[in-house]
Amino acid sequence: MLKSLRQRLPRNVWILGFVSLFADINSKMVQSVLPLFLVSVLGANLLTVGLIEGIAESTAAVVKIGSGALSDYWQRRKELAIVGYGLSTLVTVVFAVAASPAWVLLARFADRFGKGIRVAPRNALVADTTPPEKRGAAYGLRQTLDTIGAFLGPLLAAALLFSSEQNLRLVFWLALLPGMIAVLLLVLGVKEPARPNSVPQNPLTWHQLKQFDRRYWLLLAVALVFNLGNSSDAFLLLRAQQIGVPTSLVPLTLVLINLSYGCSAYPAGVLSDRVGRVGLLLSGFILFACTYLGFAFVQSPWQIWLLFALYGLYLGLSQGILLALVADQIPATLRGTAFGLINLVTGAALLPASLLAGWLWQQFTPQAPFLLGSSCALLATLLLALSPRRP
C-alpha cells in the first residue's frame, strides 16, 4: 500500500507531510502543557488563557491572507513557508524562559505569526503539485502525517513530565529539536513547481476576487459561523483536568485526538475524491456538535477519553476535506489568496470564541462554552446543507 501511495502522490506532498509531522511534534509538545504552565506555574486565570490563545490564533489568521496573496503575486511559495516554520521554531526558546504570562503572550504571538506565514503557501503548494482527482487523498495524507506528529508531541511531553518530576520548562527546551528538523526538510527536500512567466497582479483587487466561485463565499460564511463556537483546545485540556484526569496524563488526551485524526484523515480524503466532499464535511460538523455537547455534560474520566477520540474523528472528516473543497473552486493563480481568506475568517473568529469561552466558564458554568460550540456547529451544518452544490 505504501508503494502504491508513493506512485500516486507527488514527492512534494510527502515531504510537506513530513515537514508538518516534525513541526507538529514541536508545537504540540508546547501546546499540550502550555495551559497547565500558565495556570500552575505563572498563576494566570482562565480569562488570561482565553485571551492569549485568542490573540495568538487571530494573529495567525490575519497573517495568512497576506502571505497567501503574496505567494500568488510573487509566484513563489517555498520561501514563505521556510520563514514561517523557522520563526515558530525559534520562539520555542521564549516559552522555556518565560517569567510571566506576558512572555507567553509574546511567544504565542510570534509562533502563530510564523504559522500564519506558512499555512496558505503550503496548502497552495500541495494543490499546485497534485492533479484535481487526487486532491482529497493528497490533503488527507498531509493531514495524516501532520497528526502523527501531533500524536507524538504530547506523548513525548507526557513521558518527559513523568521522568522529570513535571518539569514543564524541560518540555519546551527539547521541543526545539523536531522544529529544526522540519525546517531542514523543507529547505532541502521541497521543489517549487515551474510556473509560466506572467506579469504579477495584485490578487486582492476586486477584479481578481470576482473570479472566486459563489460557492466559495458561502463556504467562507459557513466556516465563520462554525468557528465562532470553536474555542481554543486549551479549554478541552482544562475540562479534562477538572473532570479528574491527572495532570501528568492531560497531554495524552491530545495523543488520543491525533491518533483518531491520523487514522481517519487519509481514508476520508480518498473517500471524498470518490463520493464528494460536502456530505463528509456535514458529517464532521454534526459529529463536532455531538462531541461538544458531550464535553458539556461529561461526568467521569473514561467518558473524557471517548470524547477526545470522537473529536479526532471530527477533525479527520473536516480539515483536509475543507482544503480540497476550497482548491476545487479556485483558479490556480489565486489559491494562496483563497486559502489565506478562509484562514483569516476562521482564525479571526477564534479570538471572540476563546474570550467568550473563558468568560462563560468563569461567570456561569464550565458547560456553557461547550453548549455554545455545539449550537454554532449545528447552525453551520444547516447553512452548508442549504448551500448550492456543484453539478
Side-chain angles (χ1 to χ4, degrees), residues 31 35-36 39 45-54 229-243 250 253-254 257 292 295-296 298 304 308 311 350-362 365-370:
Q31 291 175 28
L36 309 179
V39 173
N45 59 34
L46 289 178
L47 191 58
T48 300
V49 174
L51 177 66
I52 290 173
E53 290 299 310
N230 187 13
S231 55
S232 168
D233 288 352
F235 293 100
L236 302 181
L237 303 182
L238 293 170
R239 183 66 168 153
Q241 186 182 47
Q242 182 190 51
I243 294 300
V250 168
T253 59
L254 291 181
I257 285 177
Y292 254 48
F295 273 109
V298 65
I304 279 282
F308 275 106
Y311 188 78
L350 287 176
L351 177 56
S354 294
L355 283 174
L356 186 58
W359 181 76
L360 288 172
W361 186 308
Q362 287 197 165
T365 66
Q367 290 81 14
F370 299 107

Side-chain angles (χ1 to χ4, degrees), residues 256-276:
L256 182 56
I257 285 177
N258 289 291
L259 178 62
S260 177
Y261 185 7
C263 290
S264 59
Y266 178 71
V270 172
L271 187 61
S272 78
D273 288 334
R274 297 176 181 173
V275 303

Side-chain angles (χ1 to χ4, degrees), residues 216 219-220 223 322-323 326 337-347:
Y216 172 78
L219 194 61
L220 227 62
L322 179 62
L323 295 176
V326 171
T337 305
F339 284 121
L341 269 174
I342 200 162
N343 284 316
L344 171 64
V345 166
T346 57

Side-chain angles (χ1 to χ4, degrees), residues 92-294:
T92 307
V93 175
V94 182
F95 291 114
V97 300
S100 72
W103 287 47
V104 174
L105 174 60
L106 175 65
R108 282 290 282 158
F109 177 87
D111 170 50
R112 297 297 90 178
F113 193 92
K115 182 176 182 179
I117 292 173
R118 71 184 185 243
V119 167
R122 181 202 65 203
N123 288 338
L125 196 54
V126 172
D128 289 345
T129 56
T130 308
E133 68 275 9
K134 296 180 181 177
R135 282 185 190 141
Y139 284 110
L141 176 67
R142 198 208 64 78
Q143 293 289 160
T144 292
L145 291 172
D146 180 279
T147 53
I148 290 173
F151 166 86
L152 292 174
L155 194 62
L156 289 171
L160 287 169
L161 290 178
F162 272 120
S163 61
S164 65
E165 298 182 355
Q166 300 190 15
N167 186 341
L168 296 169
R169 295 185 189 272
L170 178 63
V171 175
F172 299 143
W173 281 115
L174 292 182
L176 267 172
L177 296 177
M180 294 169 64
I181 294 172
V183 175
L184 285 175
L185 272 175
L186 181 58
V187 171
L188 300 177
V190 172
K191 306 293 184 184
E192 186 88 28
R195 294 183 178 85
N197 292 327
S198 59
V199 178
Q201 298 186 57
N202 181 3
L204 294 178
T205 62
W206 178 242
H207 174 71
Q208 294 294 317
L209 293 178
K210 281 195 301 184
Q211 298 182 57
F212 287 5
D213 192 294
R214 187 165 76 99
R215 285 176 290 268
Y216 172 78
W217 296 110
L218 289 170
L219 194 61
L220 227 62
V222 168
L224 174 61
V225 170
F226 179 85
N227 282 280
L228 284 172
N230 187 13
S231 55
S232 168
D233 288 352
F235 293 100
L236 302 181
L237 303 182
L238 293 170
R239 183 66 168 153
Q241 186 182 47
Q242 182 190 51
I243 294 300
V245 176
T247 298
S248 57
L249 294 181
V250 168
L252 295 183
T253 59
L254 291 181
V255 174
L256 182 56
I257 285 177
N258 289 291
L259 178 62
S260 177
Y261 185 7
C263 290
S264 59
Y266 178 71
V270 172
L271 187 61
S272 78
D273 288 334
R274 297 176 181 173
V275 303
R277 313 198 199 282
V278 175
L280 289 173
L281 189 56
L282 285 169
S283 300
F285 283 1
I286 292 170
L287 182 58
F288 176 93
C290 295
T291 302
Y292 254 48
L293 197 62

Side-chain angles (χ1 to χ4, degrees), residues 361-380:
W361 186 308
Q362 287 197 165
Q363 297 298 318
F364 296 97
T365 66
Q367 290 81 14
F370 299 107
L371 292 173
L372 174 66
S374 183
S375 301
C376 288
L378 289 175
L379 180 56

Side-chain angles (χ1 to χ4, degrees), residues 44-79:
N45 59 34
L46 289 178
L47 191 58
T48 300
V49 174
L51 177 66
I52 290 173
E53 290 299 310
I55 289 176
E57 295 299 338
S58 295
T59 297
V62 172
V63 176
K64 284 170 188 174
I65 178 58
S67 67
L70 181 58
S71 76
D72 287 336
Y73 178 83
W74 193 16
Q75 300 180 27
R76 301 285 298 175
R77 311 199 196 276
K78 177 180 172 178
E79 287 82 355

